[in-house]
Amino acid sequence: MIRGHGLCFSYGADRVVTDVDVHARPGRVLGLIGPNGSGKTTLLRMLYGALAPEAGAVEVDGVPLATLSVRQVAQRLAAVVQETGGESSLTAAEMVALGRGPHLGTFQRFGAEDERHVREALATVGGLALAARPFAALSGGEKQRVLIARALAQTTDHMLLDEPTNHLDIRYQHDLLKLVRGLGITVVVVLHDLNLAARYCDDLLLLEGGKVAASGPVDDVLDPGLLEAVYGIGVRRVNVDGELHLLFRSHDAPDAALLSSLPELTRMS
Ligand code: ADP
């Protein structure tokens, strides 16, 4: 369980997150959504301890993050952030092995137990065949799987992901989120695509200008009126085979009435 209370953050004089309360419940997937620049990444970084809140505090399973060492945080939280390590010369398996770092003592060697975790993590993401390949030469989808395996090898109860579906084709987007959802651990994920959020999250927190516009179960937060106000785009919500889907229309797109009167307008000119 991850909880944040009254979180605030500024870059210099610019306040970008204001008084945000967030609650990632055990075993559930919490999606952070909101327009570009609304503060999703900044909030996520506070939740995994990469940024210290200017005000407020984050707790993991009731323990204030600020009281934990970097190593203790990494034993509790695994972060999968925008593709990292692309230039390194590590193999995929070596990349995954980095996830064991927080569990190794100083000067302690990588042992059979660590090797087992690496193997299991790669197997979980369907990546055993990638083990000996150079990480840098993998496709975007393969890299994402390896980075998730690295987070899994960290054997934490919480995983935080920033836009994990970026640059992935539609099938990989679904495969990856299905995989994450199936882990059964507490997940916080930044997502741009509201239909993916609808499908793979349990709860959502919608940010607007660094403040919480709505939070709660997916069904409540994906309210067309609310989304129209926050994103400035027409939203229709439909139910297909019991699944919620959103359809979008730009506000300045010609509406049906205008389209039907076009021939008339053309004749007038
Ligand atoms: P989102 O993830 O919703 O796109 P971000 O948290 O990345 O939002 O950014 C929130 C705001 O903070 C934006 O206005 C962005 O330009 C600004 N910002 C993000 N990172 C930095 C930084 N390192 N320095 C200064 N401003 C930043």
Side-chain angles (χ1 to χ4, degrees):
M1 188 245 291
I2 306 175
R3 257 182 192 281
H5 296 281
L7 296 174
C8 296
F9 192 86
S10 303
Y11 293 104
D14 294 334
R15 172 60 71 81
V16 298
V17 172
T18 306
D19 207 16
V20 168
D21 289 341
V22 51
H23 187 188
R25 294 174 168 79
R28 289 171 73 91
V29 180
L30 168 68
L32 304 183
I33 57 171
N36 284 336
S38 57
K40 303 178 295 293
T41 295
T42 304
L43 175 60
L44 191 83
R45 298 191 77 207
M46 283 193 274
L47 296 182
Y48 66 82
L51 288 178
E54 181 184 328
V58 178
E59 287 180 1
V60 186
D61 293 334
V63 182
L65 213 54
T67 64
L68 300 173
S69 67
V70 171
R71 182 185 165 80
Q72 286 170 328
V73 170
Q75 287 168 349
R76 289 168 172 79
L77 307 175
V80 178
V81 297
Q82 289 300 311
E83 190 186 299
T84 46
E87 303 81 34
S88 83
S89 57
L90 299 180
T91 65
E94 286 165 345
M95 189 59 120
V96 177
L98 292 179
R100 297 304 300 156
H103 299 283
L104 295 176
T106 319
F107 306 123
Q108 184 187 340
R109 292 184 52 157
F110 195 83
E113 170 82 359
D114 300 302
E115 211 154 291
R116 184 176 62 78
H117 280 297
V118 169
R119 181 167 284 277
E120 277 180 14
L122 272 170
T124 301
V125 302
L128 276 176
L130 307 174
R133 304 243 322 259
F135 177 79
L138 300 179
S139 73
E142 290 166 339
K143 278 183 183 157
Q144 277 298 33
R145 277 195 281 162
V146 169
L147 293 176
I148 288 178
R150 182 174 71 181
L152 286 174
Q154 220 171 309
T155 57
T156 58
D157 292 333
H158 308 85
M159 192 181 286
L160 299 96
L161 306 99
D162 194 357
E163 282 290 341
T165 55
N166 255 5
H167 313 302
L168 299 188
D169 70 32
I170 189 79
R171 193 193 128 190
Y172 268 130
Q173 294 182 7
H174 284 270
D175 282 356
L176 187 130
L177 291 174
K178 215 178 286 171
L179 167 75
V180 168
R181 189 181 167 77
L183 296 172
I185 60 176
T186 306
V187 172
V188 184
V189 56
V190 172
L191 284 174
H192 261 304
D193 186 320
L194 299 182
N195 280 307
L196 289 176
R199 187 145 175 188
Y200 295 103
C201 295
D202 299 299
D203 305 303
L204 292 176
L205 186 138
L206 171 64
L207 284 175
E208 183 185 22
K211 297 184 180 154
V212 177
S215 74
V218 167
D219 213 32
D220 296 350
V221 175
L222 294 184
D223 172 73
L226 178 64
L227 296 175
E228 290 204 18
V230 171
Y231 285 89
I233 188 169
V235 179
R236 233 184 99 197
R237 180 164 144 164
V238 293
N239 200 303
V240 181
D241 299 332
E243 274 183 18
L244 184 169
H245 292 270
L246 298 168
L247 305 173
F248 303 99
R249 184 174 62 85
S250 160
H251 273 320
D252 52 12
D255 64 26
L258 181 59
L259 275 179
S260 64
S261 64
L262 265 184
E264 237 176 323
L265 291 171
T266 321
R267 268 199 305 278
M268 283 164 65
S269 61

